[in-house]
Amino acid sequence: MRSRLMIAFVILASSSTLLALVGWTGLSNTDTALKEFEQQALPNILQSLALAERTANLAAVAPYVANTSSPSMLSELNRSLEEKINQVLELSTQIPQLEEAAPNLQPLLNQLELTITELMGLTRAHLLLREDVRQYEYSLNQLRYELEKLGESEPVEPLSITLFVLFDQLNQALYLEDVQAIEALATTFSEQFFALRQDDVTRPLSTLLSELKALGIADSNLFRQRVEQVELQQRRAFLLASTRAISNQLSIQVKEFVDQVQQQITQQSQRMGLAVNSGKTGILMIALLCFTAALAGIWIVRELTESLGRVTAVMSRLAKGDTLLPTPAIERRDEMGELARAFEVFRENAVAIDTMRQDLQEQSHLLETIFNHINDGLSVFDQHNRLIAWNPQYAAMLELPEEELHKGMSIEEIYARLSVEAQEGWALNGIMLNRDEVNQLRQQSIQRFERNFPGGRVVEFRSNPMPEGGFVTLYSDLTERKAIEAQLRQSQKMEVLGQLTGGVAHDFNNLLAAMFGNLQLLGDHLSTDSQAAVYAHRALAAADRGRHLTQRLLAFSRKQYLQPEVVDVNALIEGMLDLIEYSVGDGITLELALDADPALVSVDPSQLENALLNLSINSSAAMQGCGQLCFQTTYEPQYMLNAERQAVIRICVRDTGCGIPDALIRRVFEPFFTTKEIGEGSGLGLSMVYGFVKQSQGDIQIRSHVGQGTEVDILLPCETALPNLSTTPDSASPLTLGQGQRILLVEDDPQVGQMSQDLLEGLGYGVVHVTGAEQALSVLQSEQNMALVFSDINLGSQWNGLALQQHLAHTYPELPVLLTSGLHPFLLQQRYGLTEEVAFIAKPYSRESLAAAITKLIVCDLKEPHEPTEY
């Protein structure tokens, strides 16, 4: 840049010097004739040039007048034209030689004025006529819309076709430029229009006919307007041609005058040199001034380019990424300083933009990483239901071939690649959805639904519409959550059923308590060899079976009162073979594979026997009395049970029955679920087994194949050794009797109360029976010689047995209290706050267990106290 500017200044200085030399020579030659030229020829030259210019401008106005599109502009041109004509006429009178040199100039000017005036009038009429034609054109457009609308709504009839023909004729008239053609088209239109039969024309067609008549038949119709418009255009074209002809003649007249003036100038140019002498000194001074200016410019450019070079170097370093160099020339107060300060702002903005770009790249990378690595699938469809974006989990979750997915793929093509199970969508309330309706709603509002896939997988679709159209969908695998929800529902069922069975067990235990006690009392009054004693013994055995049934109900609710002990599983199974053979029938072969060593578990043996017997009966029903039933035990030292690895004993019960379908195998442990006919099964057998195993800290598994059989595995924690049996209490200890001590019996059930009173009196105690806590407190206030209070917990009033025990502990701290109830201790702890410190005996209780419990609490003149067998 500096070199080019230096060359330019050198050329400038050289040109200035050369100009001075040429001017010196030229002015010397023309100096003489200059004064004479100024006095004589110059005024004529100026007037002739002004005349030529004004006549040319006057002639040039005509095309503008013809092409004017606005009345206001036309009025402005009219005023301008009058001024120009007056100026030309005035100028022609100021040139005395003009009348001799151009005698026809004045008539030509007058004729030009008349021609342009007529042209302006025609142009004004044409503008008005053009607005009318445009109005007709707008009416035709409206008519076209009504005809097209009529053709879409009604079938095409001959009259409708004729209307379209008449419309086309009117439309052609807008574009014809021949008067005869327009008039012929108007004649044809009139003939065809009046040839129409308008008697049975419908209302829409009648309206259209009226509009066609107004456009083509009325006094001021479209054809007449177009004929008048074309005639005006032809007349305007003639006037324009006349204007150009007159303008040419004016130019010829002016040229002749100018030629005469030029001859005078030529004669006087020789004497102009005298006038140049005065300019020589000025030219010399100008040349010196140009040379001085060139030198000053060179110095300024040199300083400017040095500063610009420094700024350019900083800018180049900035382009390469160096943002630390200081910006030069910032302190200057000229344009270079402004440039430097502007560059400093630009650099700060560039640094900020670069920082912002890096942040955007990091955020974009983060979003892309999240998009590609989230656990859920993600897809984006546009407003035309075409795929525009997706992540890898989308294809994996919907089991789609990833290589077949491509941008722009329609949602129908994707549906075609889904499995048969996933073709239909299901609402959250279980109702099947219409696929097309759902796809339409996904563009408008939030939609949530589910689809089922092979293998039991359930995928939830959550679609949200996008503002610019389309929708984005998140796909979540709900299989695991559904399984957890099923487990939660199973747990809730068990909880509710546990509360139900707990209440039933309470009432049943009260009945059994009355039966148990009365049967024992009855046995005391019968001889051992009498038939009545046999009947009483059978009834007592039935009551005992009822007690075991109650325990099984509590086992089903997983709240039974188990009595676990270390049991050899192999020995237990071998000991109950005869019972199993009797239960399953003669047609089923039993096999044993008792390989567990050791085979010790800590369970309630009676409940384990019931569980194995229940599984055997189910297997017998599945084999329909013919097949093989195998009992297998194995020892597994490292098994994940209850979230920790431990040694377990696996008890496998395997049959060759019909098997369980996959759709039912998940429900076999549900309470009351059965595939048997009504009256043939309760549906509680496997539920009781499930409750017993879970309460024993174990696990139960089931595997089945239709037509091949079923395997049920019971896994129980393994024990290391049998207990020392030498410490077992002697169950044959003699019954401890009372010595007349008085016992306050609090029992609201009349039958149980009477039985308990007879039982206590038979044991040698005096009994005072009351039915409520208020009566018990009243008795204690009047009688101070009570040895013990024996109370039921559920007394059917605001005072329960536990509240009574707590009140007596504060009021009569030396008076022992024994509580009883038909509810399980776990429920008693939840409802009433029963603790282990409180003396308690469960219903139904035997005479021996009741005597032992009372003996333990009453410590006064009793013979050989006996530990209670059941609390």
Side-chain angles (χ1 to χ4, degrees):
M1 181 181 293
R2 178 174 57 191
S3 301
R4 293 177 180 177
L5 288 175
M6 295 291 289
I7 293 173
F9 279 111
V10 169
I11 294 173
L12 175 63
S14 302
S15 300
S16 300
T17 304
L18 182 61
L19 176 63
L21 293 176
V22 173
W24 184 280
T25 304
L27 289 176
S28 297
N29 296 330
T30 58
D31 183 49
T32 304
L34 181 59
K35 292 181 180 180
E36 185 179 355
F37 175 78
E38 290 177 353
Q39 294 175 357
Q40 299 180 2
L42 188 58
N44 294 335
I45 293 174
L46 293 176
Q47 290 176 349
S48 63
L49 290 176
L51 181 62
E53 179 184 1
R54 291 178 181 179
T55 54
N57 291 338
L58 187 63
V61 170
Y64 287 99
V65 172
N67 295 325
T68 301
S69 59
S70 172
S72 60
M73 186 180 295
L74 186 64
S75 301
E76 184 66 26
L77 286 174
N78 187 19
R79 290 193 298 270
S80 177
L81 184 61
E82 291 177 356
E83 292 177 2
K84 291 179 184 296
I85 291 176
N86 293 330
Q87 290 175 359
V88 170
L89 292 175
E90 182 181 358
L91 184 61
S92 63
T93 57
Q94 295 176 359
I95 303 176
Q97 300 89 346
L98 186 62
E99 186 175 356
E100 297 177 357
N104 297 326
L105 183 62
Q106 189 71 28
L108 289 174
L109 289 173
N110 295 331
Q111 185 177 357
L112 180 61
E113 179 182 7
L114 294 175
T115 302
I116 292 178
T117 302
E118 183 180 0
L119 181 62
M120 291 182 65
L122 291 177
T123 301
R124 183 176 291 102
H126 178 265
L127 290 177
L128 297 175
L129 191 59
R130 185 182 64 180
E131 294 300 321
D132 295 337
V133 172
R134 286 181 177 176
Q135 182 65 33
Y136 279 104
E137 184 177 1
Y138 174 78
S139 300
L140 278 178
N141 289 332
Q142 292 295 112
L143 184 60
R144 178 190 292 111
Y145 173 76
E146 295 176 359
L147 285 173
E148 291 176 351
K149 184 176 181 182
L150 181 63
E152 293 175 355
S153 61
E154 297 182 3
V156 179
E157 297 179 357
L159 181 58
S160 300
I161 296 175
T162 305
L163 291 179
F164 278 99
V165 172
L166 293 175
F167 170 80
D168 290 337
Q169 292 175 358
L170 289 171
N171 196 43
Q172 290 177 13
L174 291 173
Y175 303 102
L176 292 176
E177 299 296 332
D178 186 14
V179 174
Q180 295 179 354
I182 296 174
E183 291 175 348
L185 191 60
T187 302
T188 303
F189 179 89
S190 299
E191 292 174 354
Q192 292 182 358
F193 182 86
F194 290 109
L196 291 175
R197 296 182 60 185
Q198 305 180 15
D199 299 334
D200 52 350
V201 176
T202 60
R203 184 175 181 180
L205 291 177
S206 176
T207 303
L208 296 177
L209 285 173
S210 300
E211 293 178 3
L212 286 171
K213 183 176 180 181
L215 291 173
I217 305 299
D219 294 336
S220 179
N221 57 62
L222 175 62
F223 298 104
R224 292 183 180 180
Q225 296 287 343
R226 283 293 295 148
V227 168
E228 186 176 354
Q229 187 178 27
V230 172
E231 290 176 351
L232 285 176
Q233 290 176 352
Q234 292 176 353
R235 179 61 182 171
R236 287 168 62 198
F238 172 78
L239 292 177
L240 284 175
S242 300
T243 303
R244 285 193 293 271
I246 296 173
S247 176
N248 290 334
Q249 294 180 9
L250 284 173
S251 299
I252 293 172
Q253 293 293 320
V254 172
K255 184 176 182 304
E256 291 177 356
F257 175 73
V258 171
D259 290 339
Q260 292 182 3
V261 173
Q262 185 177 3
Q263 291 177 0
Q264 296 176 1
I265 292 172
T266 302
Q267 295 174 359
Q268 297 177 0
S269 61
Q270 298 176 356
R271 295 188 294 272
M272 291 178 60
L274 297 176
V276 182
N277 292 327
S278 61
K280 291 181 180 179
T281 304
I283 292 175
L284 181 59
M285 294 181 66
I286 291 173
L288 293 175
L289 182 63
C290 289
F291 186 74
T292 303
L295 292 177
I298 291 172
W299 180 80
I300 294 172
V301 168
R302 182 172 178 273
E303 183 184 10
L304 178 65
T305 53
E306 287 179 356
S307 301
L308 187 61
R310 291 195 299 272
V311 175
T312 303
V314 176
M315 293 178 69
S316 300
R317 296 291 296 274
L318 177 62
K320 295 178 181 179
D322 188 358
T323 60
L324 301 178
L325 286 179
T327 303
I330 293 180
E331 68 283 355
R332 295 182 56 155
R333 298 302 175 188
D334 55 5
E335 291 81 357
M336 183 56 63
E338 293 180 1
L339 175 62
R341 288 186 290 274
F343 170 72
E344 181 67 17
V345 175
F346 168 77
R347 182 170 66 173
E348 293 176 357
N349 293 336
V351 172
I353 291 173
D354 185 66
T355 304
M356 186 184 302
R357 178 183 59 81
Q358 293 179 359
D359 293 341
L360 289 176
Q361 287 179 347
E362 293 176 358
Q363 293 180 5
S364 176
H365 179 70
L366 177 61
L367 291 176
E368 183 178 0
T369 302
I370 295 174
F371 183 77
N372 291 326
H373 293 86
I374 58 175
N375 293 328
D376 294 337
L378 186 66
S379 68
V380 182
F381 287 82
D382 61 12
Q383 63 269 26
H384 303 296
N385 288 338
R386 295 190 177 276
L387 184 65
I388 57 177
W390 66 95
N391 66 348
Q393 288 75 16
Y394 168 71
M397 192 163 294
L398 299 188
E399 298 179 357
L400 294 172
E402 190 171 358
E403 64 277 1
E404 296 183 9
L405 294 177
H406 59 84
K407 191 173 183 180
M409 191 175 186
S410 68
I411 197 170
E412 294 298 331
E413 294 176 328
I414 295 176
Y415 279 140
R417 290 165 171 78
L418 291 176
S419 59
V420 178
E421 294 87 341
Q423 291 290 332
E424 300 296 341
W426 300 85
L428 300 183
N429 57 4
I431 299 176
M432 183 181 293
L433 302 176
N434 182 277
R435 188 171 67 189
D436 297 334
E437 182 180 352
V438 169
N439 290 337
Q440 184 177 2
L441 291 175
R442 292 164 81 176
Q443 303 265 5
Q444 303 170 4
S445 61
I446 299 175
Q447 298 293 319
R448 291 184 64 184
F449 55 93
E450 298 174 355
R451 293 187 184 275
N452 298 322
F453 286 81
R457 286 198 316 112
V458 179
V459 176
E460 181 186 35
F461 288 52
R462 287 174 288 172
S463 294
N464 287 61
M466 295 188 296
E468 65 277 6
F471 56 90
V472 58
T473 305
L474 194 66
Y475 306 84
S476 302
D477 192 337
L478 302 183
T479 307
E480 183 177 355
R481 194 181 81 183
K482 291 287 185 181
I484 295 175
E485 290 176 354
Q487 294 177 3
L488 177 60
R489 287 194 296 270
Q490 175 72 4
S491 176
Q492 291 173 344
K493 290 179 182 178
M494 297 296 292
E495 182 68 25
V496 172
L497 207 53
Q499 297 176 2
L500 174 63
T501 54
V504 171
H506 170 263
D507 296 336
F508 198 39
N509 282 333
N510 278 336
L511 296 176
L512 289 176
M515 294 170 59
F516 229 78
N518 285 312
L519 287 172
Q520 285 185 320
L521 293 172
L522 180 61
D524 294 341
H525 295 81
L526 298 175
S527 60
T528 57
D529 55 352
S530 65
Q531 188 65 32
V534 174
Y535 296 154
H537 180 72
R538 290 178 183 175
L540 188 61
D544 188 60
R545 290 178 59 190
R547 182 179 63 177
H548 287 292
L549 176 60
T550 305
Q551 291 178 352
R552 282 195 288 272
L553 284 174
L554 292 173
F556 158 70
S557 66
R558 296 179 63 185
K559 293 179 176 64
Q560 85 210 59
Y561 188 54
L562 297 179
Q563 294 179 343
E565 58 183 75
V566 178
V567 178
D568 189 331
V569 175
N570 293 341
L572 184 141
I573 295 175
E574 290 175 346
M576 61 180 301
L577 280 180
D578 54 347
L579 179 60
I580 294 175
E581 289 176 352
Y582 174 77
S583 300
V584 300
D586 298 334
I588 296 177
T589 304
L590 293 179
E591 294 183 0
L592 298 180
L594 307 178
D595 302 326
D597 187 19
L600 303 178
V601 294
S602 178
V603 295
D604 189 325
S606 63
Q607 295 298 331
L608 180 57
E609 289 178 353
N610 288 336
L612 296 178
L613 184 60
N614 211 326
L615 294 176
S616 301
I617 295 174
N618 286 344
S619 297
S620 175
M623 293 184 288
Q624 298 181 355
C626 181
Q628 291 182 347
L629 178 61
C630 178
F631 289 87
Q632 181 181 5
T633 61
T634 56
Y635 172 74
E636 298 185 14
Q638 293 291 327
Y639 185 83
M640 184 63 70
L641 181 65
N642 299 327
E644 63 179 9
R645 292 195 176 276
Q646 54 183 308
V648 299
I649 302 298
R650 182 188 295 271
I651 306 172
C652 177
V653 180
R654 181 170 57 250
D655 63 54
T656 58
C658 60
I660 305 173
D662 293 339
L664 302 179
I665 199 168
R666 292 176 293 180
R667 302 185 59 193
V668 294
F669 294 124
E670 292 183 7
F672 306 113
F673 175 76
T674 179
T675 59
K676 299 178 181 179
E677 298 294 333
I678 297 176
E680 296 183 4
S682 64
L684 295 177
L686 287 178
S687 298
M688 291 182 178
V689 175
Y690 179 86
F692 156 69
V693 172
K694 289 296 185 180
Q695 192 172 359
S696 300
Q697 305 302 316
D699 193 14
I700 186 169
Q701 301 172 352
I702 185 168
R703 299 180 298 277
S704 183
H705 300 281
V706 177
Q708 299 181 13
T710 303
E711 294 183 8
V712 179
D713 292 342
I714 298 176
L715 298 109
L716 298 170
C718 182
E719 295 293 331
T720 57
L722 288 170
N724 186 2
L725 300 179
S726 61
T727 59
T728 303
D730 184 10
S731 61
S733 300
L735 185 66
T736 303
L737 300 177
Q739 297 179 356
Q741 295 91 341
R742 294 178 63 78
I743 294 178
L744 179 59
L745 175 62
V746 186
E747 176 62 64
D748 61 336
D749 191 313
Q751 295 180 353
V752 178
Q754 188 60 50
M755 179 275 302
S756 300
Q757 181 176 353
D758 294 342
L759 204 61
L760 291 171
E761 289 176 350
L763 290 173
Y765 298 103
V767 179
V768 177
H769 179 208
V770 296
T771 59
E774 294 84 355
Q775 298 176 6
L777 294 175
S778 177
V779 170
L780 290 174
Q781 289 177 0
S782 60
E783 299 186 20
Q784 303 295 328
N785 58 346
M786 292 294 175
L788 180 134
V789 176
F790 182 35
S791 174
D792 188 15
I793 292 181
N794 188 4
L795 297 176
S797 63
Q798 295 181 355
W799 279 77
N800 56 58
L802 194 62
L804 177 61
Q805 183 268 335
Q806 294 173 354
H807 178 76
L808 295 178
H810 290 85
T811 309
Y812 305 100
E814 301 299 329
L815 180 62
V817 179
L818 177 62
L819 299 180
T820 184
S821 177
L823 287 175
H824 187 268
F826 178 79
L827 293 177
L828 293 173
Q829 180 181 2
Q830 281 188 331
R831 296 182 185 180
Y832 303 105
L834 179 65
T835 61
E836 295 180 357
E837 291 75 12
V838 178
F840 174 78
I841 183 171
K843 294 179 181 179
Y845 44 81
S846 65
R847 179 167 49 187
E848 290 78 9
S849 60
L850 179 59
I854 295 175
T855 301
K856 184 177 181 180
L857 293 175
I858 300 177
V859 188
C860 59
D861 300 331
L862 296 182
K863 300 178 181 179
E864 300 177 358
H866 176 68
E867 293 292 332
T869 60
E870 183 176 0
Y871 284 77

